[in-house]
Amino acid sequence: MRHLIDPLDFTVEEIEALLDVADEIAADRQAFRQVCQGKTLATLFYEASTRTRLSFEAAMLNLGGNVLGFATADSSSAAKGESVADTIRTVSCYADICAMRHPKEGAPLRASRYSRIPVINAGDGGHQHPTQTLTDLMTIRQRRKQLGHITIGLCGDLKFGRTVHSLIKSLARYEGVKFILISPEELRVPDYVIEEVLWDKGVPFVEAEDMELVMDQLDILYMTRVQKERFFNEEDYVRLKDTYILTPDKLAAAKPGMAILHPLPRVNEISIDVDDDPRAAYFEQAQNGVYVRMALIMMLLELASPVAAGARTGALQKEVR
Amino acid sequence: MLSIDSLERGIVIDHIKAGSAMGLYQLLNLDRLECTVAIIKNARSNKLGKKDIIKIEGMLDINLDILGYIDPNITIAVIDEGKIIEKKRLVPPEILRNVIRCKNPRCITSIEEGVEHIFRLTKGQNGTRYRCVYCEQEDQGLPDWLNKAKV
């Protein structure tokens, strides 16, 4: 049995295979509508979420499966003090697979050690968010036709931005990727990401504070929100929240083929005037989120794709086991 | 010079950084033992100048992970029938289980009942360090009252 807790739980080859299935789903969603008939997804969301929870639920429903779960910790036994270990042992009796979001870092890992069903990390505190990363990778691959040989600028809250940590870990495995890390001093990428991912693998990167100075170098601009819920101190949040606001003026120097990504929700870090720019890819990301989660559920439940039921699907099955 | 009887059977923990033996005594829970334990502080050492030594009578097993984490230069001699039957070399353990605690308030270990505190040895350009397996927070060290044992 496999889980997805950390973005590196899957090899590069497994991710490529998963994205291929996601592309097949995008091309013909109807063909997948009965793949998960009789299967149940539990969504265990101890922290508020709109996009991620709904996209998981939409993914399972699109596959013909069922969904149960809770949307806040208040409506679960966590409010009574139940441990994550006990909750997952119980949920394993009711569902075939589960997606867990938790404000505490490492909660899905803890759950996976007691679970009898595959556990998907749907975001743990400021730590990791591997399914957002799959969404990001699918969108980058659609826009750039490959995942290597890009210069990507990550901008905003790089300290608490779990999507950023997961994306850096994943993209660092591809050849020719260069990172430009744009943040205020207080929200720099954590040292462990720099030392153990970028330095360790010899991946080129620079840190910058001014987005406009590096704009012309970027193939991908990954904007992030400064997350109020990650701050213990309101004053710090207020001081930092509007550090970067992307407007059409600031895009003047950007390459015509650059893609702008954002894990959403945005507050005001991307002006709505940018939405109609052909470089804006963040609503495509939201759509892709459903497709990659459908492919992921199939992969973890070891279910074959009804499309191209040939060699490549077989290869995916073999890799999963 | 102070004289401590030789061990007939037991363990000698030698080359402890001077002043650290009491911290190690606590960390290894030696206070819970019924057997004789001798702590020698500030013994002369050619290698260290001064060193501490702990002698434990009657026990042949010790938590090497704790000692390897504290200081891999500590030496262990296992004594039986008055002779050294084994010298153990220490290496920093790959996994540390319930030796140090994660201090990240955002970590699941801060709220979860019955969870083990597990740290993994990681290698970066600035050398090795321990990180919590749950949240990847770097080891913040031992409590102050024990920290002087850590090299």
Side-chain angles (χ1 to χ4, degrees), chain A residues 1-2 10-11 13-18 20-21 24 32 35-36 39 294-321:
Chain A
M1 183 174 67
R2 293 278 296 270
F10 291 166
T11 64
E13 292 74 24
E14 285 172 331
I15 284 177
E16 293 285 344
L18 188 147
D20 287 345
V21 173
E24 288 170 7
F32 291 78
V35 171
C36 279
K39 302 285 185 188
M294 289 170 75
L296 175 65
I297 290 168
M298 288 172 56
M299 183 176 176
L300 293 176
L301 290 177
E302 302 181 25
L303 299 168
S305 168
V307 177
R312 197 186 47 69
T313 307
L316 175 64
Q317 291 267 304
K318 194 174 168 189
E319 284 155 8
V320 167
R321 290 192 184 98

mmCIF file of all heavy atoms in Angstrom, chain A residues 1-2 10-11 13-18 20-21 24 32 35-36 39 294-321:
data_model
loop_
_atom_site.group_PDB
_atom_site.id
_atom_site.type_symbol
_atom_site.label_atom_id
_atom_site.label_comp_id
_atom_site.label_asym_id
_atom_site.label_seq_id
_atom_site.Cartn_x
_atom_site.Cartn_y
_atom_site.Cartn_z
ATOM 1 N N MET A 1 0.850 -1.203 0.000
ATOM 2 C CA MET A 1 0.000 0.000 0.000
ATOM 3 C C MET A 1 0.882 1.249 0.000
ATOM 4 O O MET A 1 1.859 1.316 0.729
ATOM 5 C CB MET A 1 -0.883 -0.019 1.244
ATOM 6 C CG MET A 1 -1.842 1.141 1.303
ATOM 7 S SD MET A 1 -2.973 1.002 2.696
ATOM 8 C CE MET A 1 -1.871 1.187 4.081
ATOM 9 N N ARG A 2 0.501 2.211 -0.826
ATOM 10 C CA ARG A 2 1.288 3.443 -0.913
ATOM 11 C C ARG A 2 0.474 4.613 -0.354
ATOM 12 O O ARG A 2 -0.756 4.612 -0.383
ATOM 13 C CB ARG A 2 1.617 3.741 -2.392
ATOM 14 C CG ARG A 2 2.555 2.728 -3.038
ATOM 15 C CD ARG A 2 4.002 3.008 -2.723
ATOM 16 N NE ARG A 2 4.446 4.277 -3.258
ATOM 17 C CZ ARG A 2 4.976 4.432 -4.487
ATOM 18 N NH1 ARG A 2 5.083 3.401 -5.298
ATOM 19 N NH2 ARG A 2 5.385 5.619 -4.902
ATOM 20 N N PHE A 10 6.894 9.861 -4.645
ATOM 21 C CA PHE A 10 6.798 9.294 -5.993
ATOM 22 C C PHE A 10 8.073 9.625 -6.756
ATOM 23 O O PHE A 10 8.630 10.722 -6.630
ATOM 24 C CB PHE A 10 5.614 9.890 -6.768
ATOM 25 C CG PHE A 10 4.254 9.479 -6.248
ATOM 26 C CD1 PHE A 10 3.123 10.160 -6.654
ATOM 27 C CD2 PHE A 10 4.105 8.411 -5.371
ATOM 28 C CE1 PHE A 10 1.859 9.792 -6.187
ATOM 29 C CE2 PHE A 10 2.851 8.039 -4.899
ATOM 30 C CZ PHE A 10 1.727 8.735 -5.304
ATOM 31 N N THR A 11 8.508 8.672 -7.584
ATOM 32 C CA THR A 11 9.668 8.923 -8.434
ATOM 33 C C THR A 11 9.258 9.866 -9.567
ATOM 34 O O THR A 11 8.055 10.063 -9.836
ATOM 35 C CB THR A 11 10.185 7.618 -9.060
ATOM 36 O OG1 THR A 11 9.150 7.105 -9.914
ATOM 37 C CG2 THR A 11 10.548 6.586 -7.986
ATOM 38 N N GLU A 13 9.493 9.183 -12.623
ATOM 39 C CA GLU A 13 8.774 8.359 -13.613
ATOM 40 C C GLU A 13 7.316 8.161 -13.193
ATOM 41 O O GLU A 13 6.405 8.203 -14.030
ATOM 42 C CB GLU A 13 9.453 6.989 -13.771
ATOM 43 C CG GLU A 13 10.830 7.035 -14.419
ATOM 44 C CD GLU A 13 11.928 7.573 -13.500
ATOM 45 O OE1 GLU A 13 11.758 7.498 -12.257
ATOM 46 O OE2 GLU A 13 12.936 8.092 -14.013
ATOM 47 N N GLU A 14 7.095 7.945 -11.899
ATOM 48 C CA GLU A 14 5.720 7.762 -11.420
ATOM 49 C C GLU A 14 4.914 9.050 -11.592
ATOM 50 O O GLU A 14 3.733 9.011 -11.946
ATOM 51 C CB GLU A 14 5.726 7.356 -9.942
ATOM 52 C CG GLU A 14 6.140 5.905 -9.738
ATOM 53 C CD GLU A 14 6.333 5.544 -8.266
ATOM 54 O OE1 GLU A 14 6.688 6.426 -7.461
ATOM 55 O OE2 GLU A 14 6.150 4.378 -7.930
ATOM 56 N N ILE A 15 5.564 10.178 -11.363
ATOM 57 C CA ILE A 15 4.856 11.456 -11.534
ATOM 58 C C ILE A 15 4.511 11.672 -13.007
ATOM 59 O O ILE A 15 3.384 12.067 -13.337
ATOM 60 C CB ILE A 15 5.697 12.621 -10.966
ATOM 61 C CG1 ILE A 15 5.615 12.587 -9.441
ATOM 62 C CG2 ILE A 15 5.214 13.978 -11.495
ATOM 63 C CD1 ILE A 15 6.428 13.616 -8.728
ATOM 64 N N GLU A 16 5.443 11.347 -13.887
ATOM 65 C CA GLU A 16 5.161 11.495 -15.328
ATOM 66 C C GLU A 16 3.981 10.601 -15.721
ATOM 67 O O GLU A 16 3.089 11.019 -16.464
ATOM 68 C CB GLU A 16 6.400 11.122 -16.165
ATOM 69 C CG GLU A 16 7.578 12.088 -16.004
ATOM 70 C CD GLU A 16 7.380 13.414 -16.737
ATOM 71 O OE1 GLU A 16 6.493 13.492 -17.610
ATOM 72 O OE2 GLU A 16 8.108 14.382 -16.409
ATOM 73 N N ALA A 17 3.968 9.365 -15.201
ATOM 74 C CA ALA A 17 2.878 8.435 -15.522
ATOM 75 C C ALA A 17 1.546 8.969 -14.989
ATOM 76 O O ALA A 17 0.510 8.897 -15.666
ATOM 77 C CB ALA A 17 3.183 7.062 -14.938
ATOM 78 N N LEU A 18 1.589 9.528 -13.772
ATOM 79 C CA LEU A 18 0.365 10.082 -13.175
ATOM 80 C C LEU A 18 -0.144 11.276 -13.988
ATOM 81 O O LEU A 18 -1.345 11.403 -14.247
ATOM 82 C CB LEU A 18 0.665 10.495 -11.733
ATOM 83 C CG LEU A 18 -0.522 10.928 -10.874
ATOM 84 C CD1 LEU A 18 -0.287 10.526 -9.422
ATOM 85 C CD2 LEU A 18 -0.787 12.418 -10.940
ATOM 86 N N ASP A 20 0.372 11.765 -17.113
ATOM 87 C CA ASP A 20 -0.166 11.248 -18.377
ATOM 88 C C ASP A 20 -1.629 10.836 -18.208
ATOM 89 O O ASP A 20 -2.470 11.108 -19.056
ATOM 90 C CB ASP A 20 0.655 10.040 -18.854
ATOM 91 C CG ASP A 20 2.028 10.444 -19.380
ATOM 92 O OD1 ASP A 20 2.241 11.651 -19.643
ATOM 93 O OD2 ASP A 20 2.892 9.561 -19.516
ATOM 94 N N VAL A 21 -1.922 10.155 -17.078
ATOM 95 C CA VAL A 21 -3.310 9.751 -16.817
ATOM 96 C C VAL A 21 -4.181 11.000 -16.618
ATOM 97 O O VAL A 21 -5.301 11.078 -17.133
ATOM 98 C CB VAL A 21 -3.403 8.828 -15.572
ATOM 99 C CG1 VAL A 21 -4.865 8.540 -15.209
ATOM 100 C CG2 VAL A 21 -2.664 7.511 -15.835
ATOM 101 N N GLU A 24 -5.071 12.324 -19.857
ATOM 102 C CA GLU A 24 -6.128 11.508 -20.478
ATOM 103 C C GLU A 24 -7.497 11.878 -19.911
ATOM 104 O O GLU A 24 -8.480 11.954 -20.637
ATOM 105 C CB GLU A 24 -5.872 10.021 -20.204
ATOM 106 C CG GLU A 24 -4.698 9.440 -20.972
ATOM 107 C CD GLU A 24 -4.346 8.029 -20.481
ATOM 108 O OE1 GLU A 24 -5.090 7.471 -19.655
ATOM 109 O OE2 GLU A 24 -3.325 7.511 -20.929
ATOM 110 N N PHE A 32 -13.937 8.070 -17.567
ATOM 111 C CA PHE A 32 -13.462 7.671 -16.232
ATOM 112 C C PHE A 32 -14.598 7.644 -15.196
ATOM 113 O O PHE A 32 -14.338 7.466 -14.020
ATOM 114 C CB PHE A 32 -12.367 8.641 -15.775
ATOM 115 C CG PHE A 32 -11.091 8.509 -16.566
ATOM 116 C CD1 PHE A 32 -10.986 9.055 -17.837
ATOM 117 C CD2 PHE A 32 -10.004 7.810 -16.056
ATOM 118 C CE1 PHE A 32 -9.833 8.918 -18.581
ATOM 119 C CE2 PHE A 32 -8.851 7.674 -16.780
ATOM 120 C CZ PHE A 32 -8.755 8.226 -18.055
ATOM 121 N N VAL A 35 -14.821 4.436 -12.879
ATOM 122 C CA VAL A 35 -13.572 3.768 -12.459
ATOM 123 C C VAL A 35 -13.585 3.436 -10.971
ATOM 124 O O VAL A 35 -13.051 2.418 -10.549
ATOM 125 C CB VAL A 35 -12.356 4.658 -12.824
ATOM 126 C CG1 VAL A 35 -11.072 4.101 -12.217
ATOM 127 C CG2 VAL A 35 -12.205 4.771 -14.329
ATOM 128 N N CYS A 36 -14.184 4.305 -10.153
ATOM 129 C CA CYS A 36 -14.161 4.110 -8.688
ATOM 130 C C CYS A 36 -15.527 3.700 -8.134
ATOM 131 O O CYS A 36 -15.796 3.934 -6.953
ATOM 132 C CB CYS A 36 -13.682 5.375 -7.990
ATOM 133 S SG CYS A 36 -11.899 5.536 -8.003
ATOM 134 N N LYS A 39 -16.226 2.534 -4.450
ATOM 135 C CA LYS A 39 -15.111 2.967 -3.581
ATOM 136 C C LYS A 39 -15.511 4.253 -2.849
ATOM 137 O O LYS A 39 -16.278 5.067 -3.368
ATOM 138 C CB LYS A 39 -13.849 3.249 -4.409
ATOM 139 C CG LYS A 39 -13.364 2.063 -5.226
ATOM 140 C CD LYS A 39 -12.691 1.040 -4.349
ATOM 141 C CE LYS A 39 -12.091 -0.085 -5.186
ATOM 142 N NZ LYS A 39 -11.594 -1.188 -4.344
ATOM 143 N N MET A 294 -7.928 12.990 -9.439
ATOM 144 C CA MET A 294 -8.569 11.778 -9.991
ATOM 145 C C MET A 294 -7.490 10.744 -10.327
ATOM 146 O O MET A 294 -7.602 9.564 -9.959
ATOM 147 C CB MET A 294 -9.379 12.135 -11.255
ATOM 148 C CG MET A 294 -10.645 12.940 -10.973
ATOM 149 S SD MET A 294 -11.417 13.594 -12.484
ATOM 150 C CE MET A 294 -12.176 12.115 -13.178
ATOM 151 N N ALA A 295 -6.444 11.188 -10.999
ATOM 152 C CA ALA A 295 -5.363 10.260 -11.380
ATOM 153 C C ALA A 295 -4.681 9.684 -10.137
ATOM 154 O O ALA A 295 -4.335 8.500 -10.094
ATOM 155 C CB ALA A 295 -4.348 10.992 -12.261
ATOM 156 N N LEU A 296 -4.513 10.524 -9.114
ATOM 157 C CA LEU A 296 -3.845 10.074 -7.880
ATOM 158 C C LEU A 296 -4.687 9.023 -7.153
ATOM 159 O O LEU A 296 -4.150 8.003 -6.692
ATOM 160 C CB LEU A 296 -3.600 11.285 -6.968
ATOM 161 C CG LEU A 296 -3.017 10.971 -5.592
ATOM 162 C CD1 LEU A 296 -1.617 10.380 -5.710
ATOM 163 C CD2 LEU A 296 -2.981 12.237 -4.730
ATOM 164 N N ILE A 297 -5.991 9.274 -7.046
ATOM 165 C CA ILE A 297 -6.874 8.299 -6.383
ATOM 166 C C ILE A 297 -6.784 6.955 -7.109
ATOM 167 O O ILE A 297 -6.632 5.897 -6.494
ATOM 168 C CB ILE A 297 -8.331 8.830 -6.347
ATOM 169 C CG1 ILE A 297 -8.437 10.010 -5.375
ATOM 170 C CG2 ILE A 297 -9.307 7.718 -5.969
ATOM 171 C CD1 ILE A 297 -9.744 10.791 -5.469
ATOM 172 N N MET A 298 -6.818 7.009 -8.448
ATOM 173 C CA MET A 298 -6.712 5.763 -9.228
ATOM 174 C C MET A 298 -5.375 5.074 -8.965
ATOM 175 O O MET A 298 -5.307 3.855 -8.790
ATOM 176 C CB MET A 298 -6.840 6.083 -10.722
ATOM 177 C CG MET A 298 -8.234 6.465 -11.152
ATOM 178 S SD MET A 298 -8.261 7.061 -12.858
ATOM 179 C CE MET A 298 -7.516 5.687 -13.729
ATOM 180 N N MET A 299 -4.317 5.862 -8.933
ATOM 181 C CA MET A 299 -2.979 5.294 -8.754
ATOM 182 C C MET A 299 -2.870 4.603 -7.394
ATOM 183 O O MET A 299 -2.382 3.475 -7.290
ATOM 184 C CB MET A 299 -1.945 6.415 -8.873
ATOM 185 C CG MET A 299 -0.514 5.965 -8.775
ATOM 186 S SD MET A 299 0.550 7.401 -9.070
ATOM 187 C CE MET A 299 2.159 6.672 -8.790
ATOM 188 N N LEU A 300 -3.337 5.275 -6.338
ATOM 189 C CA LEU A 300 -3.197 4.714 -4.990
ATOM 190 C C LEU A 300 -4.138 3.531 -4.758
ATOM 191 O O LEU A 300 -3.846 2.646 -3.954
ATOM 192 C CB LEU A 300 -3.410 5.798 -3.929
ATOM 193 C CG LEU A 300 -2.337 6.887 -3.888
ATOM 194 C CD1 LEU A 300 -2.698 7.964 -2.865
ATOM 195 C CD2 LEU A 300 -0.964 6.310 -3.570
ATOM 196 N N LEU A 301 -5.270 3.523 -5.473
ATOM 197 C CA LEU A 301 -6.180 2.381 -5.363
ATOM 198 C C LEU A 301 -5.836 1.295 -6.386
ATOM 199 O O LEU A 301 -6.541 0.284 -6.481
ATOM 200 C CB LEU A 301 -7.633 2.846 -5.549
ATOM 201 C CG LEU A 301 -8.215 3.702 -4.416
ATOM 202 C CD1 LEU A 301 -9.631 4.164 -4.753
ATOM 203 C CD2 LEU A 301 -8.216 2.938 -3.092
ATOM 204 N N GLU A 302 -4.772 1.531 -7.143
ATOM 205 C CA GLU A 302 -4.275 0.560 -8.138
ATOM 206 C C GLU A 302 -5.355 0.214 -9.161
ATOM 207 O O GLU A 302 -5.595 -0.953 -9.474
ATOM 208 C CB GLU A 302 -3.752 -0.701 -7.445
ATOM 209 C CG GLU A 302 -2.638 -0.373 -6.454
ATOM 210 C CD GLU A 302 -2.067 -1.608 -5.770
ATOM 211 O OE1 GLU A 302 -2.157 -2.701 -6.349
ATOM 212 O OE2 GLU A 302 -1.529 -1.459 -4.658
ATOM 213 N N LEU A 303 -6.027 1.263 -9.646
ATOM 214 C CA LEU A 303 -7.074 1.079 -10.647
ATOM 215 C C LEU A 303 -6.559 1.511 -12.008
ATOM 216 O O LEU A 303 -5.965 2.577 -12.141
ATOM 217 C CB LEU A 303 -8.310 1.915 -10.270
ATOM 218 C CG LEU A 303 -8.949 1.544 -8.923
ATOM 219 C CD1 LEU A 303 -9.971 2.592 -8.500
ATOM 220 C CD2 LEU A 303 -9.588 0.167 -9.000
ATOM 221 N N ALA A 304 -6.803 0.676 -13.011
ATOM 222 C CA ALA A 304 -6.274 0.945 -14.349
ATOM 223 C C ALA A 304 -7.086 2.021 -15.060
ATOM 224 O O ALA A 304 -8.280 2.169 -14.820
ATOM 225 C CB ALA A 304 -6.299 -0.330 -15.167
ATOM 226 N N SER A 305 -6.401 2.746 -15.930
ATOM 227 C CA SER A 305 -7.085 3.735 -16.756
ATOM 228 C C SER A 305 -7.872 3.013 -17.834
ATOM 229 O O SER A 305 -7.361 2.108 -18.489
ATOM 230 C CB SER A 305 -6.050 4.661 -17.407
ATOM 231 O OG SER A 305 -6.659 5.428 -18.414
ATOM 232 N N PRO A 306 -9.160 3.392 -18.031
ATOM 233 C CA PRO A 306 -9.936 2.752 -19.102
ATOM 234 C C PRO A 306 -9.478 3.204 -20.487
ATOM 235 O O PRO A 306 -9.778 2.557 -21.481
ATOM 236 C CB PRO A 306 -11.368 3.221 -18.818
ATOM 237 C CG PRO A 306 -11.222 4.487 -18.054
ATOM 238 C CD PRO A 306 -9.943 4.380 -17.293
ATOM 239 N N VAL A 307 -8.763 4.319 -20.540
ATOM 240 C CA VAL A 307 -8.226 4.813 -21.808
ATOM 241 C C VAL A 307 -6.841 4.210 -21.972
ATOM 242 O O VAL A 307 -6.104 4.042 -20.987
ATOM 243 C CB VAL A 307 -8.120 6.356 -21.785
ATOM 244 C CG1 VAL A 307 -7.497 6.895 -23.068
ATOM 245 C CG2 VAL A 307 -9.481 6.961 -21.547
ATOM 246 N N ALA A 308 -6.487 3.874 -23.206
ATOM 247 C CA ALA A 308 -5.147 3.337 -23.504
ATOM 248 C C ALA A 308 -4.823 2.192 -22.536
ATOM 249 O O ALA A 308 -3.812 2.209 -21.846
ATOM 250 C CB ALA A 308 -4.083 4.427 -23.386
ATOM 251 N N ALA A 309 -5.766 1.217 -22.450
ATOM 252 C CA ALA A 309 -5.581 0.121 -21.500
ATOM 253 C C ALA A 309 -4.479 -0.826 -21.972
ATOM 254 O O ALA A 309 -4.635 -2.025 -22.042
ATOM 255 C CB ALA A 309 -6.901 -0.633 -21.335
ATOM 256 N N GLY A 310 -3.374 -0.244 -22.270
ATOM 257 C CA GLY A 310 -2.266 -1.033 -22.800
ATOM 258 C C GLY A 310 -1.037 -0.961 -21.943
ATOM 259 O O GLY A 310 -1.123 -0.951 -20.715
ATOM 260 N N ALA A 311 0.083 -0.852 -22.601
ATOM 261 C CA ALA A 311 1.375 -1.003 -21.925
ATOM 262 C C ALA A 311 1.612 0.028 -20.831
ATOM 263 O O ALA A 311 2.036 -0.303 -19.742
ATOM 264 C CB ALA A 311 2.480 -0.924 -22.955
ATOM 265 N N ARG A 312 1.301 1.329 -21.130
ATOM 266 C CA ARG A 312 1.687 2.350 -20.166
ATOM 267 C C ARG A 312 0.870 2.259 -18.878
ATOM 268 O O ARG A 312 1.386 2.438 -17.776
ATOM 269 C CB ARG A 312 1.509 3.737 -20.788
ATOM 270 C CG ARG A 312 2.250 4.805 -20.028
ATOM 271 C CD ARG A 312 1.949 6.175 -20.557
ATOM 272 N NE ARG A 312 0.532 6.388 -20.742
ATOM 273 C CZ ARG A 312 -0.328 6.478 -19.742
ATOM 274 N NH1 ARG A 312 0.078 6.350 -18.505
ATOM 275 N NH2 ARG A 312 -1.607 6.670 -19.985
ATOM 276 N N THR A 313 -0.406 1.897 -19.029
ATOM 277 C CA THR A 313 -1.236 1.739 -17.835
ATOM 278 C C THR A 313 -0.694 0.605 -16.982
ATOM 279 O O THR A 313 -0.610 0.693 -15.769
ATOM 280 C CB THR A 313 -2.699 1.477 -18.225
ATOM 281 O OG1 THR A 313 -3.092 2.510 -19.108
ATOM 282 C CG2 THR A 313 -3.598 1.470 -17.009
ATOM 283 N N GLY A 314 -0.285 -0.476 -17.680
ATOM 284 C CA GLY A 314 0.319 -1.598 -16.965
ATOM 285 C C GLY A 314 1.554 -1.177 -16.209
ATOM 286 O O GLY A 314 1.777 -1.578 -15.076
ATOM 287 N N ALA A 315 2.351 -0.308 -16.832
ATOM 288 C CA ALA A 315 3.592 0.158 -16.203
ATOM 289 C C ALA A 315 3.277 0.941 -14.935
ATOM 290 O O ALA A 315 3.934 0.779 -13.916
ATOM 291 C CB ALA A 315 4.373 1.033 -17.177
ATOM 292 N N LEU A 316 2.223 1.761 -14.989
ATOM 293 C CA LEU A 316 1.829 2.542 -13.813
ATOM 294 C C LEU A 316 1.448 1.609 -12.674
ATOM 295 O O LEU A 316 1.883 1.767 -11.554
ATOM 296 C CB LEU A 316 0.655 3.455 -14.173
ATOM 297 C CG LEU A 316 0.036 4.251 -13.026
ATOM 298 C CD1 LEU A 316 1.034 5.227 -12.463
ATOM 299 C CD2 LEU A 316 -1.211 4.973 -13.495
ATOM 300 N N GLN A 317 0.662 0.571 -13.017
ATOM 301 C CA GLN A 317 0.247 -0.397 -12.003
ATOM 302 C C GLN A 317 1.455 -1.048 -11.352
ATOM 303 O O GLN A 317 1.518 -1.207 -10.148
ATOM 304 C CB GLN A 317 -0.590 -1.496 -12.685
ATOM 305 C CG GLN A 317 -1.918 -0.999 -13.175
ATOM 306 C CD GLN A 317 -2.986 -1.217 -12.140
ATOM 307 O OE1 GLN A 317 -3.185 -2.329 -11.709
ATOM 308 N NE2 GLN A 317 -3.632 -0.174 -11.730
ATOM 309 N N LYS A 318 2.417 -1.396 -12.170
ATOM 310 C CA LYS A 318 3.605 -2.076 -11.646
ATOM 311 C C LYS A 318 4.357 -1.145 -10.695
ATOM 312 O O LYS A 318 4.783 -1.546 -9.616
ATOM 313 C CB LYS A 318 4.498 -2.470 -12.824
ATOM 314 C CG LYS A 318 5.580 -3.459 -12.466
ATOM 315 C CD LYS A 318 6.293 -3.876 -13.735
ATOM 316 C CE LYS A 318 7.552 -4.634 -13.399
ATOM 317 N NZ LYS A 318 8.353 -4.857 -14.582
ATOM 318 N N GLU A 319 4.478 0.126 -11.086
ATOM 319 C CA GLU A 319 5.205 1.081 -10.257
ATOM 320 C C GLU A 319 4.498 1.305 -8.928
ATOM 321 O O GLU A 319 5.138 1.422 -7.904
ATOM 322 C CB GLU A 319 5.338 2.416 -10.993
ATOM 323 C CG GLU A 319 6.404 2.379 -12.089
ATOM 324 C CD GLU A 319 6.127 3.400 -13.170
ATOM 325 O OE1 GLU A 319 5.221 4.214 -13.009
ATOM 326 O OE2 GLU A 319 6.828 3.350 -14.197
ATOM 327 N N VAL A 320 3.181 1.314 -8.967
ATOM 328 C CA VAL A 320 2.423 1.546 -7.738
ATOM 329 C C VAL A 320 2.720 0.457 -6.732
ATOM 330 O O VAL A 320 2.912 0.695 -5.568
ATOM 331 C CB VAL A 320 0.909 1.626 -8.039
ATOM 332 C CG1 VAL A 320 0.105 1.535 -6.758
ATOM 333 C CG2 VAL A 320 0.594 2.907 -8.768
ATOM 334 N N ARG A 321 2.780 -0.777 -7.188
ATOM 335 C CA ARG A 321 3.011 -1.885 -6.262
ATOM 336 C C ARG A 321 4.443 -1.861 -5.794
ATOM 337 O O ARG A 321 4.777 -2.305 -4.762
ATOM 338 C CB ARG A 321 2.721 -3.206 -6.958
ATOM 339 C CG ARG A 321 1.228 -3.366 -7.220
ATOM 340 C CD ARG A 321 0.870 -4.767 -7.638
ATOM 341 N NE ARG A 321 -0.545 -4.813 -7.959
ATOM 342 C CZ ARG A 321 -0.998 -4.728 -9.191
ATOM 343 N NH1 ARG A 321 -0.183 -4.591 -10.201
ATOM 344 N NH2 ARG A 321 -2.301 -4.771 -9.412
#
